[in-house]
């Protein structure tokens, strides 16, 4: 197959951006494998324990951009004990030792230490981009090391991390020579920042396109910063609060009017409603708006704001907008593609929440909608059927009824038919989260129709092993399955063990699976790590195969049981 | 001791136990977070299933009573609703910040049809506060003395402190007063005089 010199092959492969395409290409023949291997710059590792850093480096010696994911998704909801794992240090250490020319590191749900950040900052001369999502384990001292040493840093993007704020001067650690920043997001930091240093940093970075400030940046500082960066495309405001002083608000309005490039806004961590109208001039150009951290904005204020946002494609909002507010969204935001409605009061009962009405209105008004996360008080089958008919293009559909096993309040029936309509109509559905009263029937539908489904989240649903079996047998493209509090047991777990090698991972907690069942699985599948996570009864556990397993996490791996497992994790 | 146990069983205390919910319905038994118990996988659907197994006409009623009594246990389920802990932690501090910033207190006056609210932080001391109260409720508070309280008036300004006791306004230093005062009440008549005079 060697019609072309390697350089030509490499040039052709450059056009392949998707990981899957490059993976496929490397399987064609030995020479393609070789060329692909040496030209591969971007590597995505969906589970950091599926492969070791050393093997990754051996396989792709010229990697420049690495994405790593650590903890299972349910760790977001406190279902995984802290110290479970997901440490990035070994990866940074291995790459530093092997002189990898790392330029970008993107981590999700991993434990990052200051030592790791310091090693990173010292070891990779061309390091350009650090993106940390839902990570933890580091302080602002680690950030200071990155700021001080990464001379060509373009991107520092911290999203929803738990960072211990040492109230140090990490922002001041960017040297005066640093002028390369394109993206700076520190919205999740809780402490004070040196406002002067921030202003000067922004002023000397002419390519800055994305800036997300934290709570400690007040309105007047925001106004001054914006004066230095009218070219911003994405802005996260800090604390959007001010005493109703006409002068500052007017200054802000005129500053915003100069920022003609802003297409995306977020922040509003605290908001004085009187200041909100200042952004109306920008609203008409916004394609993305995140107000989900602004509980202080009243429903009426939100509605007034939405009226100005006709070009919105992505909207993240709190449920205090109400069904009525969602109706306004439906009438105004015809380009809407992604909607997330978060609960403003997760444990409240009937407080300013949204219901099926809001969702139905959206489905009528926004035919381009393909991604949804919706926390609501209740849902009906009729509504879901209507939504399925109006929006057949869903790729992500996540519904969370606050009362986890609530039936259709009109018919008192389970929501099987409603979700069945969704999977039948949305042929491109890749991600689905269920809630409400559900029987095995919904899983029959999912197995039958959800042909493209890759990720499924189930809680408090189903009647028997049949439910889980429908899914495992039917969803050929399933990669991640996470289940909690469902009556699925050993029969469901063990009927088709080969399936798990086609998937990234399976999480089961508070189900009917026993220790014995897990042992059988682990024995049959040596390339699957079956982890039993048992925080509580450590001495009692381990000797009775009939005992039900509280939390099980299994994943395919090429490197066997991990060596960094804590004492409460037992790999069978 | 054994006799006593048998005796209690015969009494069928369960039947006479006071409960919320319609007669004949079973109280939801599982309240603890399910993830701590390996045998307890679905506390919430069990509640609904119990009500569903009865005849249809009681299903919706049961649903209502479950909803009314149930919210507290549901709030204890670990990891539900699935909101990221980061997001939850962003909202909780908000309440305390708001509470710290404001010191609006209720002020009631005996005989007045409705209460008022004032912000204590606006005032620099007792004279200002008392003057404001006098104007607000159209009364006169008289002359304060440590020994005799408020003289020359039918009224006495009092406040409820952190311990729940009703105290006379003016006895303690101003700053101590602001930090311990939870609400104000302008007492009238004999009750007021009783507070002011310690014979």
């Amino acid at each position: 197959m060697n019609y072309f010199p390697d350089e030509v092959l490499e040039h052709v492969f450059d056009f392949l951006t998707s990981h899957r395409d490059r993976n496929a290409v490397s399987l064609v023949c030995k020479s393609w494998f070789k060329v692909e291997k040496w030209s591969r710059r971007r590597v995505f590792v969906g589970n950091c324990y599926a492969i070791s850093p050393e093997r990754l480096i051996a396989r792709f010696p010229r990697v420049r951009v690495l994405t790593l994911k650590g903890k299972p998704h349910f760790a977001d909801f406190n279902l995984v004990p802290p110290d479970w794992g997901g440490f990035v240090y070994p990866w940074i250490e291995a790459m530093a030792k092997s002189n990898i020319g790392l330029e970008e590191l993107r981590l999700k749900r991993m434990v990052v230490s200051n030592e790791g950040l310091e090693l990173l900052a010292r070891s990779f001369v061309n390091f350009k981009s650090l993106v940390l999502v839902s990570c933890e384990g580091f302080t602002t001292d680690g950030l200071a090391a990155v700021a001080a040493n990464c001379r060509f840093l373009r991107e520092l993007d911290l999203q929803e991390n738990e960072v211990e704020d040492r109230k140090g001067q990490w922002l001041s650690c960017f040297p005066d020579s640093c002028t390369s920043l394109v993206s700076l997001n520190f919205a999740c930091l809780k402490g004070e920042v040196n406002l002067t240093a921030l202003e000067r940093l922004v002023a000397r970075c002419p390519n800055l396109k994305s800036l997300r400030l934290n709570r400690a940046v007040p309105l007047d500082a925001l106004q001054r910063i914006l004066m230095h960066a009218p070219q911003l495309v994405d802005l996260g405001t800090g604390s959007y609060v001010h005493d109703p002083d006409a002068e500052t608000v007017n200054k802000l309005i005129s500053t915003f009017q100069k920022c003609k490039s802003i297409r995306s806004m977020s922040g509003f961590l605290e908001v004085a409603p009187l200041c909100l109208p200042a952004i109306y001039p920008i609203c008409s150009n916004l394609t993305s708006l995140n107000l989900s951290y602004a509980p202080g904005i009243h429903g009426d204020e939100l509605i007034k704001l939405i009226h100005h946002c006709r070009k919105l494609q992505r909207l993240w909002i709190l449920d205090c907008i109400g069904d009525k507010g969602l109706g306004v969204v439906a009438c105004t935001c015809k380009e809407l593609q992604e909607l997330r409605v978060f609960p403003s009061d997760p444990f409240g009962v009937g407080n300013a929440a949204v219901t099926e009405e809001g969702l139905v209105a959206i489905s009528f008004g926004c035919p381009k909608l393909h991604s949804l996360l919706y926390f609501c008080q209740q849902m009906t089958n009729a509504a879901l059927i209507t939504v399925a008919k109006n929006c057949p293009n869903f790729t992500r559909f996540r519904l969370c009824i606050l009362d986890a096993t609530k039936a259709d309040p009109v018919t008192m029936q389970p929501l099987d038919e409603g979700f069945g309509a969704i999977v039948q109509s949305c042929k491109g559905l890749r991600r689905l989260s269920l809630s409400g009263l559900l029987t095995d029937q919904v899983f029959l539908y999912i197995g039958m129709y959800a042909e493209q489904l890759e990720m499924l989240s189930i809680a408090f649903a189903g009647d028997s092993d049949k439910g889980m079996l429908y899914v495992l047998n039917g969803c050929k493209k399933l990669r991640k399955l996470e289940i909690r509090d469902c009556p699925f047991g050993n029969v469901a777990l063990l009927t088709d063990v080969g399936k798990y090698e086609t998937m990234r991972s399976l999480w089961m907690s508070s189900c009917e699976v026993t220790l014995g069942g897990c042992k059988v699985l682990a024995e049959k599948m040596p390339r699957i790590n079956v982890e039993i996570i048992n925080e509580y009864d450590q001495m009692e556990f381990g000797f009775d195969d009939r005992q039900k397993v509280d939390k099980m996490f299994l994943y395919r791996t090429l490197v066997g049981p991990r060596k960094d497992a804590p004492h409460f994790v037992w790999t069978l | 001791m054994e006799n006593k146990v048998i005796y209690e069983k015969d009494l069928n205390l369960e039947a006479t136990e006071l409960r919320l919910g319609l007669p004949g319905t079973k109280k939801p038994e599982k309240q603890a977070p399910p993830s701590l118990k390996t045998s307890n996988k679905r506390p919430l659907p069990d509640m609904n299933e119990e009500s569903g197994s009865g005849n249809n006409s009681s299903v919706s009623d049961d649903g209502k009573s479950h909803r009314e009594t149930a919210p507290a246990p549901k709030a204890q389920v670990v990891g539900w609703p699935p909101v990221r802990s980061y997001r939850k932690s962003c909202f909780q501090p908000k309440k305390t910040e708001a509470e710290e910033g404001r010191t609006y207190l209720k002020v009631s006056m005996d005989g007045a049809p409705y209460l008022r609210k004032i912000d204590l932080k606006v005032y620099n001391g007792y004279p200002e506060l008392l003057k404001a109260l006098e104007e607000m409720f159209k009364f006169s508070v008289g002359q304060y003395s440590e020994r005799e309280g408020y003289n020359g008036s039918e009224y006495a300004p009092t406040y409820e402190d952190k311990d729940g006791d009703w105290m006379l306004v003016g006895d303690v230093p101003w700053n101590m007063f602001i930090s311990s005062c939870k609400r104000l009440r302008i007492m009238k008549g004999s009750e007021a005089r009783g507070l002011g005079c310690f014979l």
Side-chain angles (χ1 to χ4, degrees):
Chain A
M1 274 276 259
N2 236 352
Y3 305 133
F4 302 112
D6 287 353
E7 296 79 33
V8 175
L9 274 179
E10 190 178 315
H11 185 66
V12 171
F13 292 168
D14 271 350
F15 291 98
L16 298 174
T17 47
S18 122
H19 297 290
R20 285 176 203 178
D21 288 343
R22 293 206 68 132
N23 292 346
V25 142
S26 63
L27 293 175
V28 168
C29 65
K30 280 199 180 136
S31 69
W32 281 36
F33 179 91
K34 208 179 72 175
V35 172
E36 201 283 319
K37 163 181 169 153
W38 288 99
S39 64
R40 176 90 136 211
R41 299 278 177 266
R42 317 181 77 93
V43 177
F44 171 82
V45 179
N47 173 6
C48 64
Y49 291 119
I51 190 72
S52 71
E54 292 74 23
R55 281 185 65 165
L56 178 87
I57 293 167
R59 177 73 178 80
F60 299 116
R62 296 240 183 100
V63 60
R64 299 251 182 287
V65 176
L66 179 62
T67 305
L68 284 172
K69 291 189 176 183
K71 300 184 197 183
H73 175 233
F74 275 176
D76 283 352
F77 317 129
N78 296 334
L79 288 178
V80 177
D83 306 328
W84 171 84
F87 306 104
V88 75
Y89 190 84
W91 294 83
I92 299 176
E93 193 182 24
M95 286 189 288
K97 280 203 182 126
S98 304
N99 295 318
I100 296 290
L102 192 69
E103 292 179 16
E104 292 180 35
L105 186 62
R106 312 171 108 75
L107 305 177
K108 187 166 186 180
R109 281 189 217 102
M110 293 201 71
V111 178
V112 182
S113 62
N114 283 345
E115 291 74 31
L117 289 175
E118 282 155 21
L119 183 59
L120 176 89
R122 288 197 311 269
S123 311
F124 307 113
V125 174
N126 285 325
F127 194 75
K128 293 192 174 66
S129 167
L130 181 65
V131 180
L132 303 178
V133 180
S134 295
C135 296
E136 55 175 359
F138 60 104
T139 74
T140 46
D141 292 345
L143 296 177
V146 172
N149 297 303
C150 299
R151 286 190 294 149
F152 304 114
L153 195 69
R154 286 212 284 248
E155 182 176 21
L156 179 61
D157 185 359
L158 309 171
Q159 298 177 30
E160 302 194 346
N161 301 291
E162 299 284 352
V163 184
E164 194 190 310
D165 208 310
R166 291 278 164 84
K167 296 186 174 44
Q169 297 285 330
W170 70 274
L171 257 180
S172 318
C173 293
F174 282 104
D176 288 342
S177 55
C178 172
T179 58
S180 49
L181 277 181
V182 173
S183 167
L184 177 63
N185 172 7
F186 59 94
C188 63
L189 296 186
K190 302 204 171 69
E192 302 294 316
V193 288
N194 184 327
L195 295 174
T196 320
L198 174 61
E199 244 184 276
R200 285 175 40 225
L201 179 64
V202 171
R204 67 177 182 271
C205 293
N207 296 321
L208 193 67
K209 292 280 185 290
S210 168
L211 178 64
R212 297 189 185 189
L213 310 169
N214 77 342
R215 192 181 288 269
V217 180
L219 204 63
D220 52 335
L222 170 67
Q223 189 267 326
R224 287 195 303 273
I225 288 167
L226 285 178
M227 290 298 284
H228 292 299
Q231 77 284 1
L232 279 180
V233 172
D234 168 37
L235 174 66
T237 69
S239 173
Y240 202 72
V241 164
H242 201 273
D243 286 337
D245 167 341
E247 198 200 328
T248 313
V249 176
N250 283 336
K251 262 204 259 177
L252 192 64
I253 293 176
S254 70
T255 308
F256 273 134
Q257 277 166 348
K258 294 198 183 75
C259 297
K260 296 193 182 303
S261 306
I262 294 185
R263 296 287 171 271
S264 161
M265 283 195 83
S266 60
F268 302 98
L269 303 169
E270 289 164 39
V271 182
L274 286 169
C275 298
L276 214 49
I279 69 163
Y280 289 173
I282 314 185
C283 287
S284 50
N285 287 326
L286 283 184
T287 57
S288 169
L289 181 58
N290 181 356
L291 292 171
S292 65
Y293 285 103
I297 309 184
H298 206 261
D300 293 337
E301 300 289 334
L302 282 175
I303 291 175
K304 271 195 266 176
L305 184 65
I306 297 289
H307 273 303
H308 291 85
C309 304
R310 304 200 148 267
K311 291 196 185 156
L312 224 48
Q313 293 172 16
R314 180 196 303 165
L315 177 62
W316 290 25
I317 203 146
L318 289 172
D319 62 5
C320 35
I321 193 174
D323 286 330
K324 186 172 136 218
L326 289 178
V328 174
V329 173
C331 291
T332 314
C333 310
K334 294 303 185 187
E335 303 297 312
L336 197 66
Q337 297 177 23
E338 177 182 334
L339 175 67
R340 295 195 189 189
V341 181
F342 293 95
S344 48
D345 185 7
F347 305 119
V349 182
N351 289 335
V354 295
T355 70
E356 75 277 10
E357 288 178 21
L359 186 59
V360 168
I362 292 279
S363 75
F364 276 114
C366 310
K368 295 188 182 178
L369 194 67
H370 64 73
S371 174
L372 179 75
L373 172 61
Y374 195 73
F375 286 83
C376 58
Q377 276 294 318
Q378 62 184 46
M379 185 53 59
T380 64
N381 283 311
L384 284 174
I385 291 168
T386 305
V387 169
K389 204 161 60 139
N390 292 341
C391 296
N393 298 319
F394 274 118
T395 54
R396 293 182 193 81
F397 191 88
R398 295 153 71 189
L399 187 71
C400 177
I401 304 171
L402 293 175
D403 177 350
T405 54
K406 190 163 179 160
D408 179 330
V410 172
T411 63
M412 299 314 288
Q413 293 299 305
L415 292 177
D416 302 333
E417 298 305 312
F419 280 106
I422 294 284
V423 293
Q424 201 175 351
S425 164
C426 304
K427 306 215 185 300
L429 194 68
R430 295 200 309 266
R431 182 170 181 181
L432 177 64
S433 297
L434 308 170
S435 62
L437 185 65
L438 296 164
T439 72
D440 283 344
Q441 186 71 7
V442 72
F443 300 112
L444 175 68
Y445 291 140
I446 292 173
M448 238 178 4
Y449 296 114
E451 291 175 5
Q452 303 300 318
L453 195 65
E454 296 177 6
M455 181 169 179
L456 179 62
S457 309
I458 311 172
F460 306 104
D463 305 313
S464 74
D465 286 327
K466 284 203 286 197
M468 185 169 162
L469 284 170
Y470 289 141
V471 172
L472 291 175
N473 291 335
C475 300
K476 299 295 175 209
K477 296 205 174 170
L478 194 64
R479 291 189 299 117
K480 286 183 281 183
L481 180 58
E482 45 186 27
I483 306 172
R484 63 163 295 181
D485 295 90
C486 295
F488 305 142
N490 292 340
V491 171
L493 183 70
L494 297 174
T495 296
D496 179 12
V497 292
K499 174 79 175 172
Y500 304 126
E501 272 195 357
T502 69
M503 292 167 56
R504 183 187 298 172
S505 65
L506 167 66
W507 168 281
M508 291 181 78
S509 61
S510 304
C511 295
E512 298 289 312
V513 176
T514 70
L515 181 59
C518 295
K519 282 182 177 172
V520 169
L521 175 57
E523 208 183 304
K524 283 190 183 171
M525 305 295 295
R527 286 193 300 196
I528 303 278
N529 277 353
V530 181
E531 290 189 8
I532 309 294
I533 300 167
N534 195 42
E535 313 162 71
Y536 303 105
D537 321 306
Q538 284 164 49
M539 288 314 290
E540 296 164 36
F541 203 77
F543 301 109
D544 184 358
D545 282 0
R546 289 164 304 174
Q547 190 165 354
K548 289 194 195 141
V549 164
D550 192 31
K551 293 174 185 172
M552 178 203 74
F553 181 55
L554 66 81
Y555 51 89
R556 66 181 177 191
T557 178
L558 293 176
V559 289
R562 56 186 173 113
K563 300 186 180 55
D564 63 2
H567 59 95
F568 55 81
V569 170
W570 177 18
T571 306
L572 295 175
Chain B
M1 285 301 275
E2 282 173 7
N3 282 341
K4 199 175 175 190
V5 169
I6 296 167
Y7 184 58
E8 280 174 358
K9 279 192 182 154
D10 285 346
L11 271 183
N12 195 6
L13 288 171
E14 208 188 312
T16 54
E17 196 180 312
L18 285 177
R19 280 181 186 162
L20 292 173
L22 297 175
T25 65
K26 253 200 161 158
K27 181 185 170 191
E29 279 157 23
K30 293 157 196 142
Q31 307 260 331
S35 58
L36 287 180
K37 294 184 188 172
T38 51
S39 58
N40 177 14
K41 63 231 181 293
R42 290 169 60 204
L44 306 177
D46 279 357
M47 290 187 329
N48 289 334
E49 275 169 31
E50 278 180 84
S51 60
S53 61
N55 61 40
N56 280 339
S57 59
S58 65
V59 163
S60 46
D61 289 348
D62 276 355
K64 275 197 212 128
S65 69
H66 277 299
R67 240 178 280 139
E68 278 155 29
T69 58
K74 283 176 185 166
Q76 289 163 26
V77 173
V78 173
W80 195 269
V83 175
R84 271 193 190 162
S85 32
Y86 171 82
R87 186 172 281 278
K88 273 195 243 180
S89 70
C90 282
F91 287 169
Q92 271 139 28
K94 278 218 161 303
K95 279 200 187 136
T96 48
E97 276 170 33
E99 278 162 1
E100 266 179 321
R102 288 192 225 120
T103 38
Y104 276 102
L105 298 173
K106 288 186 189 172
V107 188
S108 64
M109 169 140 134
D110 292 354
Y114 50 84
L115 283 65
R116 301 297 302 271
K117 265 205 167 161
I118 57 170
D119 182 0
L120 275 190
K121 282 207 170 140
V122 167
Y123 308 105
N124 290 323
Y126 287 120
E128 274 184 40
L129 170 65
L130 292 170
K131 188 145 175 288
L133 289 176
E134 283 178 335
E135 280 172 16
M136 198 182 264
F137 289 98
K138 309 279 182 289
F139 76 106
S140 151
V141 85
Q143 193 71 347
Y144 171 80
S145 75
E146 226 181 305
R147 274 188 63 217
E148 289 177 350
Y150 290 89
N151 253 338
S153 164
E154 260 196 303
Y155 300 94
T158 66
Y159 69 100
E160 187 185 15
D161 73 356
K162 278 188 193 159
D163 301 324
D165 299 319
W166 286 95
M167 320 285 292
L168 189 68
V169 170
D171 284 337
V172 300
W174 175 250
N175 284 327
M176 197 187 294
F177 166 69
I178 313 184
S179 61
S180 57
C181 174
K182 279 171 39 190
R183 56 183 298 173
L184 285 156
R185 175 181 162 203
I186 301 168
M187 283 189 192
K188 184 183 170 183
S190 51
E191 218 179 314
R193 279 194 286 278
L195 203 65
C197 314
F198 296 98
L199 293 170

